[in-house]
């Protein structure tokens, strides 16, 4: 008997095509973009509930289908252009100004409604194409350090996923001109015009606090995902034992802190207007330099807990 050759997919050739939905959970017929990504854990799962019947002997009865769950992380590069697409999904459409090839996009937290998207995962070797629909972005997490690749981890909540087909349903794809990543080495943490020194590393997370609408549905999927209370939290590893951050941790004064990167004429900045730093210990654990790990939390200023400002050559993310 002949052994049929297997069809194997490789991550190097995987593609991600994403388009905004005009109605929640309805994949658009066009308008998809091919976007760079580092890894993804998208895809619907549906388990089985073990039978609890008794009185019919020791043999188990068939299990029952459980609900559909499509939650997973998507890791994307923090670049000069495509990151604006993900910021729109996370925060809504930006306020855009500019002309002559330089545009400033300001994404603001706290939007009453948030967009949803469909993401087609393409594995051309098989070929296999599946579309995750009803995706909303719950959180974004970014870590800062002296060197390395700069990525953002998006926690996504989806409604469902289509069965695999052998051809793409994304239509004509749009791509951004180039993939130009921001570098960890170009990062800075500032208060106003002053760059804060003595910070060894940092990490921040913005959350939409999304709430699944888990109503009874014949397809076992969620009905929708509603925005909750946004939050901005993170941590700083401090090597400088004096300065504004240490003073703030002692007297409880909130600070306006910016986390950002620059690449040529392009830049990205996350701004939190009211960051509260707790008072923490200063442990001595060896002969090396001393450092403190400070977990911060932010509150809102006039309803805004965080803004993201992206300056690049993309005319619109609407």
């Amino acid at each position: 008997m002949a052994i049929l050759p297997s069809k194997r997919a490789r991550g190097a050739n995987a593609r991600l095509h994403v388009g905004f939905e005009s109605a929640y959970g309805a994949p658009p017929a066009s308008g998809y973009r091919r976007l760079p990504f580092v890894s993804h854990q998208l895809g619907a799962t549906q388990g089985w509930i073990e039978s609890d019947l008794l009185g019919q002997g020791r043999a188990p009865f068939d299990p029952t289908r459980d609900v559909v769950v499509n939650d997973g992380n998507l890791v994307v590069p923090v670049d000069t252009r495509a990151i604006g697409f993900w910021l729109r999904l996370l925060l809504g459409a930006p306020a855009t100004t500019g002309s002559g090839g330089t545009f400033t996009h300001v994404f603001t937290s706290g939007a009453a409604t948030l967009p949803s998207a469909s993401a087609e995962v393409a594995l051309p070797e098989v070929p296999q194409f599946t579309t995750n629909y009803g995706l909303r972005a719950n959180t974004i997490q970014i870590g800062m350090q002296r060197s390395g690749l700069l990525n953002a981890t998006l926690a996504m909540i989806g409604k469902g996923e289509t069965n695999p087909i052998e051809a793409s349903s994304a239509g004509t794809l749009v791509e951004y001109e180039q993939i130009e990543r921001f570098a960890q080495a170009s990062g800075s943490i500032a208060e106003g015009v002053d760059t804060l020194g003595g910070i060894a590393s940092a990490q921040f997370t913005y959350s939409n606090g999304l709430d699944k609408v888990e109503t009874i549905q014949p397809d076992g999927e969620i009905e929708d995902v509603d925005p909750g209370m946004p939050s901005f939290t993170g941590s700083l590893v401090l090597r400088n034992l004096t300065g504004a951050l240490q003073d703030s941790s002692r007297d409880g004064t909130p600070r306006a802190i910016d986390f950002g990167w620059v690449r040529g004429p392009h830049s990205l900045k996350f701004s939190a207007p009211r960051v509260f730093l707790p008072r923490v210990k200063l442990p001595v654990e060896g002969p090396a330099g001393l450092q403190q790990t400070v977990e911060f939390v932010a509150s809102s200023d006039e309803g805004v807990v965080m803004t993201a400002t992206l300056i690049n050559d993309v005319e619109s993310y609407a």
Side-chain angles (χ1 to χ4, degrees):
M1 183 176 63
I3 299 177
L4 297 177
S6 61
K7 295 182 178 180
R8 298 178 298 274
R10 295 181 59 82
N13 295 324
R15 295 180 298 180
L16 187 67
H17 310 147
V18 190
F20 288 105
E21 299 173 344
S22 57
Y24 177 72
S30 61
Y32 286 83
R33 285 188 174 272
R34 181 178 176 180
L35 297 175
F37 71 103
V38 176
S39 65
H40 84 81
Q41 296 175 341
L42 303 177
T45 62
Q46 188 173 22
W48 295 96
I49 302 174
E50 187 177 348
S51 174
D52 61 355
L53 293 178
L54 301 176
Q56 303 298 315
R58 295 181 62 234
F61 282 76
D62 289 347
T64 301
R65 282 273 192 193
D66 203 355
V67 296
V68 175
V69 177
N70 192 353
D71 301 349
N73 287 345
L74 174 64
V75 181
V76 300
V78 180
D79 72 326
T80 60
R81 298 180 178 90
I83 193 64
F85 184 98
W86 300 114
L87 290 174
R88 179 188 165 188
L89 183 61
L90 181 77
L91 300 167
T96 299
T97 58
S99 61
T102 301
F103 301 93
T104 300
H105 314 277
V106 180
F107 302 83
T108 305
S109 67
T113 59
L114 295 172
S116 63
S118 291
E120 180 184 71
V121 178
L123 305 176
E125 300 99 334
V126 179
Q128 176 176 298
F129 300 81
T130 59
T131 298
N132 298 272
Y133 51 86
L135 292 173
R136 296 196 195 273
N138 188 22
T139 68
I140 186 171
Q141 183 179 84
I142 299 178
M144 302 181 71
Q145 56 192 26
R146 285 198 67 239
S147 66
L149 297 174
L150 181 60
N151 295 323
T153 300
L154 294 156
M156 312 292 285
I157 298 177
K159 180 174 173 64
E161 180 185 21
T162 63
N163 291 325
I165 57 177
E166 294 186 355
S168 174
S169 58
T172 302
L173 296 171
V174 179
E175 297 187 48
Y176 291 108
E177 290 183 11
Q178 289 178 289
I179 301 172
E180 298 177 338
R181 301 175 77 160
F182 290 107
Q184 289 280 15
S186 71
S188 65
I189 301 174
E191 183 176 10
V193 297
D194 298 323
T195 299
L196 298 173
I199 302 176
S201 64
Q203 178 178 283
F204 61 85
T205 300
Y206 171 79
S207 174
N208 277 317
L210 295 183
D211 178 29
K212 292 184 183 180
V213 183
E214 298 185 279
T215 57
I216 299 171
Q217 302 287 320
D219 55 12
E221 299 174 352
I222 59 175
E223 180 180 338
D224 204 335
V225 185
D226 291 339
M229 183 175 291
S231 64
F232 188 78
T233 58
S235 63
L236 303 172
V237 178
L238 307 178
R239 292 294 297 269
N240 181 16
L241 303 183
T242 62
L245 296 182
Q246 286 72 18
D247 293 342
S248 177
S249 69
R250 295 184 177 92
D251 62 24
T253 304
R255 321 297 303 193
I257 299 181
D258 300 332
F259 305 83
W261 305 266
V262 175
R263 179 177 175 133
H266 303 158
S267 65
L268 173 63
K269 179 175 66 177
F270 291 85
S271 302
R274 292 174 60 81
V275 173
F276 290 84
L277 301 162
R279 184 169 180 173
V280 297
K281 297 178 181 179
L282 176 60
V284 178
E285 298 176 335
L290 304 184
Q291 61 186 32
Q292 296 172 295
T293 299
V294 180
E295 307 284 340
F296 67 79
V297 61
S299 68
S300 62
D301 181 15
E302 297 183 354
V304 176
V305 70
M306 184 273 290
T307 59
T309 303
L310 176 62
I311 300 176
N312 59 18
D313 56 4
V314 177
E315 185 172 358
S316 174
Y317 288 99

